[in-house]
PDB file of all heavy atoms in Angstrom:
ATOM      1  N   ARG W 545      91.664 100.038  25.483  1.00  0.00           N
ATOM      2  CA  ARG W 545      91.464  99.789  26.913  1.00  0.00           C
ATOM      3  C   ARG W 545      91.267  98.295  27.104  1.00  0.00           C
ATOM      4  O   ARG W 545      90.749  97.622  26.224  1.00  0.00           O
ATOM      5  CB  ARG W 545      90.216 100.526  27.411  1.00  0.00           C
ATOM      6  CG  ARG W 545      90.342 102.024  27.394  1.00  0.00           C
ATOM      7  CD  ARG W 545      90.851 102.557  28.709  1.00  0.00           C
ATOM      8  NE  ARG W 545      91.147 103.975  28.590  1.00  0.00           N
ATOM      9  CZ  ARG W 545      92.352 104.446  28.260  1.00  0.00           C
ATOM     10  NH1 ARG W 545      93.348 103.617  28.015  1.00  0.00           N
ATOM     11  NH2 ARG W 545      92.568 105.740  28.171  1.00  0.00           N
ATOM     12  N   GLU W 546      91.606  97.829  28.296  1.00  0.00           N
ATOM     13  CA  GLU W 546      91.447  96.397  28.508  1.00  0.00           C
ATOM     14  C   GLU W 546      89.978  96.032  28.457  1.00  0.00           C
ATOM     15  O   GLU W 546      89.136  96.680  29.069  1.00  0.00           O
ATOM     16  CB  GLU W 546      92.019  95.982  29.866  1.00  0.00           C
ATOM     17  CG  GLU W 546      91.967  94.488  30.035  1.00  0.00           C
ATOM     18  CD  GLU W 546      92.794  94.024  31.214  1.00  0.00           C
ATOM     19  OE1 GLU W 546      93.063  94.843  32.099  1.00  0.00           O
ATOM     20  OE2 GLU W 546      93.176  92.846  31.229  1.00  0.00           O
ATOM     21  N   ASN W 547      89.645  94.996  27.669  1.00  0.00           N
ATOM     22  CA  ASN W 547      88.258  94.545  27.570  1.00  0.00           C
ATOM     23  C   ASN W 547      88.248  93.116  27.075  1.00  0.00           C
ATOM     24  O   ASN W 547      89.289  92.530  26.792  1.00  0.00           O
ATOM     25  CB  ASN W 547      87.467  95.454  26.626  1.00  0.00           C
ATOM     26  CG  ASN W 547      88.088  95.469  25.247  1.00  0.00           C
ATOM     27  OD1 ASN W 547      88.155  94.438  24.589  1.00  0.00           O
ATOM     28  ND2 ASN W 547      88.595  96.621  24.817  1.00  0.00           N
ATOM     29  N   ASP W 548      87.056  92.561  26.950  1.00  0.00           N
ATOM     30  CA  ASP W 548      86.936  91.156  26.567  1.00  0.00           C
ATOM     31  C   ASP W 548      86.764  90.952  25.076  1.00  0.00           C
ATOM     32  O   ASP W 548      86.742  89.823  24.605  1.00  0.00           O
ATOM     33  CB  ASP W 548      85.718  90.529  27.288  1.00  0.00           C
ATOM     34  CG  ASP W 548      86.077  90.192  28.721  1.00  0.00           C
ATOM     35  OD1 ASP W 548      87.291  90.091  28.981  1.00  0.00           O
ATOM     36  OD2 ASP W 548      85.159  90.044  29.536  1.00  0.00           O
ATOM     37  N   ARG W 549      86.593  92.066  24.329  1.00  0.00           N
ATOM     38  CA  ARG W 549      86.247  91.906  22.914  1.00  0.00           C
ATOM     39  C   ARG W 549      87.266  91.092  22.127  1.00  0.00           C
ATOM     40  O   ARG W 549      86.879  90.208  21.356  1.00  0.00           O
ATOM     41  CB  ARG W 549      86.036  93.287  22.278  1.00  0.00           C
ATOM     42  CG  ARG W 549      84.706  93.912  22.642  1.00  0.00           C
ATOM     43  CD  ARG W 549      84.441  95.166  21.851  1.00  0.00           C
ATOM     44  NE  ARG W 549      85.312  96.279  22.243  1.00  0.00           N
ATOM     45  CZ  ARG W 549      85.003  97.181  23.175  1.00  0.00           C
ATOM     46  NH1 ARG W 549      83.851  97.104  23.795  1.00  0.00           N
ATOM     47  NH2 ARG W 549      85.824  98.149  23.473  1.00  0.00           N
ATOM     48  N   PRO W 550      88.605  91.360  22.290  1.00  0.00           N
ATOM     49  CA  PRO W 550      89.558  90.565  21.498  1.00  0.00           C
ATOM     50  C   PRO W 550      89.423  89.079  21.770  1.00  0.00           C
ATOM     51  O   PRO W 550      89.459  88.261  20.854  1.00  0.00           O
ATOM     52  CB  PRO W 550      90.922  91.082  21.966  1.00  0.00           C
ATOM     53  CG  PRO W 550      90.661  92.423  22.524  1.00  0.00           C
ATOM     54  CD  PRO W 550      89.283  92.368  23.091  1.00  0.00           C
ATOM     55  N   LYS W 551      89.206  88.737  23.070  1.00  0.00           N
ATOM     56  CA  LYS W 551      89.103  87.326  23.415  1.00  0.00           C
ATOM     57  C   LYS W 551      87.847  86.719  22.798  1.00  0.00           C
ATOM     58  O   LYS W 551      87.876  85.604  22.255  1.00  0.00           O
ATOM     59  CB  LYS W 551      89.063  87.188  24.939  1.00  0.00           C
ATOM     60  CG  LYS W 551      89.425  85.808  25.423  1.00  0.00           C
ATOM     61  CD  LYS W 551      89.611  85.805  26.922  1.00  0.00           C
ATOM     62  CE  LYS W 551      89.802  84.391  27.435  1.00  0.00           C
ATOM     63  NZ  LYS W 551      88.736  83.481  27.055  1.00  0.00           N
ATOM     64  N   CYS W 552      86.728  87.478  22.840  1.00  0.00           N
ATOM     65  CA  CYS W 552      85.487  86.989  22.242  1.00  0.00           C
ATOM     66  C   CYS W 552      85.672  86.750  20.757  1.00  0.00           C
ATOM     67  O   CYS W 552      85.254  85.730  20.214  1.00  0.00           O
ATOM     68  CB  CYS W 552      84.351  88.005  22.449  1.00  0.00           C
ATOM     69  SG  CYS W 552      83.891  88.173  24.157  1.00  0.00           S
ATOM     70  N   MET W 553      86.330  87.721  20.113  1.00  0.00           N
ATOM     71  CA  MET W 553      86.535  87.578  18.670  1.00  0.00           C
ATOM     72  C   MET W 553      87.376  86.350  18.367  1.00  0.00           C
ATOM     73  O   MET W 553      87.077  85.587  17.445  1.00  0.00           O
ATOM     74  CB  MET W 553      87.227  88.815  18.107  1.00  0.00           C
ATOM     75  CG  MET W 553      86.268  89.907  17.728  1.00  0.00           C
ATOM     76  SD  MET W 553      87.124  91.181  16.835  1.00  0.00           S
ATOM     77  CE  MET W 553      87.536  90.319  15.341  1.00  0.00           C
ATOM     78  N   ALA W 554      88.442  86.167  19.144  1.00  0.00           N
ATOM     79  CA  ALA W 554      89.307  85.011  18.909  1.00  0.00           C
ATOM     80  C   ALA W 554      88.535  83.725  19.138  1.00  0.00           C
ATOM     81  O   ALA W 554      88.676  82.756  18.387  1.00  0.00           O
ATOM     82  CB  ALA W 554      90.528  85.066  19.823  1.00  0.00           C
ATOM     83  N   ASP W 555      87.648  83.732  20.183  1.00  0.00           N
ATOM     84  CA  ASP W 555      86.890  82.514  20.470  1.00  0.00           C
ATOM     85  C   ASP W 555      85.854  82.225  19.402  1.00  0.00           C
ATOM     86  O   ASP W 555      85.530  81.064  19.142  1.00  0.00           O
ATOM     87  CB  ASP W 555      86.190  82.649  21.832  1.00  0.00           C
ATOM     88  CG  ASP W 555      87.181  82.433  22.961  1.00  0.00           C
ATOM     89  OD1 ASP W 555      88.184  81.741  22.692  1.00  0.00           O
ATOM     90  OD2 ASP W 555      86.958  82.960  24.057  1.00  0.00           O
ATOM     91  N   SER W 556      85.319  83.308  18.769  1.00  0.00           N
ATOM     92  CA  SER W 556      84.231  83.090  17.822  1.00  0.00           C
ATOM     93  C   SER W 556      84.721  82.341  16.586  1.00  0.00           C
ATOM     94  O   SER W 556      83.964  81.614  15.970  1.00  0.00           O
ATOM     95  CB  SER W 556      83.607  84.429  17.426  1.00  0.00           C
ATOM     96  OG  SER W 556      84.565  85.167  16.710  1.00  0.00           O
ATOM     97  N   CYS W 557      85.970  82.543  16.185  1.00  0.00           N
ATOM     98  CA  CYS W 557      86.489  81.673  15.112  1.00  0.00           C
ATOM     99  C   CYS W 557      87.843  81.146  15.558  1.00  0.00           C
ATOM    100  O   CYS W 557      88.893  81.556  15.071  1.00  0.00           O
ATOM    101  CB  CYS W 557      86.565  82.397  13.772  1.00  0.00           C
ATOM    102  SG  CYS W 557      87.253  84.033  13.870  1.00  0.00           S
ATOM    103  N   ARG W 558      87.769  80.271  16.540  1.00  0.00           N
ATOM    104  CA  ARG W 558      88.951  79.750  17.205  1.00  0.00           C
ATOM    105  C   ARG W 558      89.909  79.067  16.234  1.00  0.00           C
ATOM    106  O   ARG W 558      91.116  79.250  16.290  1.00  0.00           O
ATOM    107  CB  ARG W 558      88.469  78.783  18.299  1.00  0.00           C
ATOM    108  CG  ARG W 558      89.510  77.961  19.018  1.00  0.00           C
ATOM    109  CD  ARG W 558      90.582  78.750  19.720  1.00  0.00           C
ATOM    110  NE  ARG W 558      90.088  79.711  20.686  1.00  0.00           N
ATOM    111  CZ  ARG W 558      90.914  80.576  21.330  1.00  0.00           C
ATOM    112  NH1 ARG W 558      92.202  80.551  21.106  1.00  0.00           N
ATOM    113  NH2 ARG W 558      90.410  81.442  22.177  1.00  0.00           N
ATOM    114  N   TRP W 559      89.355  78.277  15.283  1.00  0.00           N
ATOM    115  CA  TRP W 559      90.250  77.522  14.392  1.00  0.00           C
ATOM    116  C   TRP W 559      91.076  78.460  13.539  1.00  0.00           C
ATOM    117  O   TRP W 559      92.260  78.230  13.324  1.00  0.00           O
ATOM    118  CB  TRP W 559      89.439  76.567  13.512  1.00  0.00           C
ATOM    119  CG  TRP W 559      88.503  77.277  12.559  1.00  0.00           C
ATOM    120  CD1 TRP W 559      87.218  77.637  12.816  1.00  0.00           C
ATOM    121  CD2 TRP W 559      88.810  77.716  11.248  1.00  0.00           C
ATOM    122  NE1 TRP W 559      86.689  78.295  11.732  1.00  0.00           N
ATOM    123  CE2 TRP W 559      87.648  78.346  10.755  1.00  0.00           C
ATOM    124  CE3 TRP W 559      89.944  77.637  10.433  1.00  0.00           C
ATOM    125  CZ2 TRP W 559      87.591  78.910   9.476  1.00  0.00           C
ATOM    126  CZ3 TRP W 559      89.872  78.193   9.170  1.00  0.00           C
ATOM    127  CH2 TRP W 559      88.714  78.824   8.693  1.00  0.00           C
ATOM    128  N   LEU W 560      90.468  79.568  13.078  1.00  0.00           N
ATOM    129  CA  LEU W 560      91.212  80.500  12.224  1.00  0.00           C
ATOM    130  C   LEU W 560      92.305  81.170  13.044  1.00  0.00           C
ATOM    131  O   LEU W 560      93.456  81.294  12.614  1.00  0.00           O
ATOM    132  CB  LEU W 560      90.257  81.547  11.646  1.00  0.00           C
ATOM    133  CG  LEU W 560      90.905  82.558  10.708  1.00  0.00           C
ATOM    134  CD1 LEU W 560      91.467  81.846   9.495  1.00  0.00           C
ATOM    135  CD2 LEU W 560      89.906  83.612  10.287  1.00  0.00           C
ATOM    136  N   TRP W 561      91.930  81.581  14.282  1.00  0.00           N
ATOM    137  CA  TRP W 561      92.909  82.247  15.138  1.00  0.00           C
ATOM    138  C   TRP W 561      94.075  81.306  15.425  1.00  0.00           C
ATOM    139  O   TRP W 561      95.240  81.674  15.331  1.00  0.00           O
ATOM    140  CB  TRP W 561      92.242  82.688  16.446  1.00  0.00           C
ATOM    141  CG  TRP W 561      93.103  83.591  17.240  1.00  0.00           C
ATOM    142  CD1 TRP W 561      93.133  84.950  17.172  1.00  0.00           C
ATOM    143  CD2 TRP W 561      94.082  83.210  18.210  1.00  0.00           C
ATOM    144  NE1 TRP W 561      94.069  85.446  18.023  1.00  0.00           N
ATOM    145  CE2 TRP W 561      94.673  84.411  18.676  1.00  0.00           C
ATOM    146  CE3 TRP W 561      94.524  81.997  18.720  1.00  0.00           C
ATOM    147  CZ2 TRP W 561      95.681  84.418  19.636  1.00  0.00           C
ATOM    148  CZ3 TRP W 561      95.533  81.998  19.668  1.00  0.00           C
ATOM    149  CH2 TRP W 561      96.102  83.197  20.119  1.00  0.00           C
ATOM    150  N   THR W 562      93.744  80.052  15.763  1.00  0.00           N
ATOM    151  CA  THR W 562      94.811  79.092  16.086  1.00  0.00           C
ATOM    152  C   THR W 562      95.711  78.859  14.879  1.00  0.00           C
ATOM    153  O   THR W 562      96.934  78.827  14.987  1.00  0.00           O
ATOM    154  CB  THR W 562      94.200  77.755  16.532  1.00  0.00           C
ATOM    155  OG1 THR W 562      93.154  78.038  17.444  1.00  0.00           O
ATOM    156  CG2 THR W 562      95.228  76.878  17.194  1.00  0.00           C
TER     157      THR W 562
END
Side-chain angles (χ1 to χ4, degrees):
Chain W
R545 293 268 172 268
E546 185 167 21
N547 59 62
D548 281 340
R549 283 188 290 269
K551 200 170 173 305
C552 293
M553 273 190 68
D555 283 335
S556 66
C557 45
R558 172 58 56 185
W559 64 271
L560 181 63
W561 191 91
T562 315

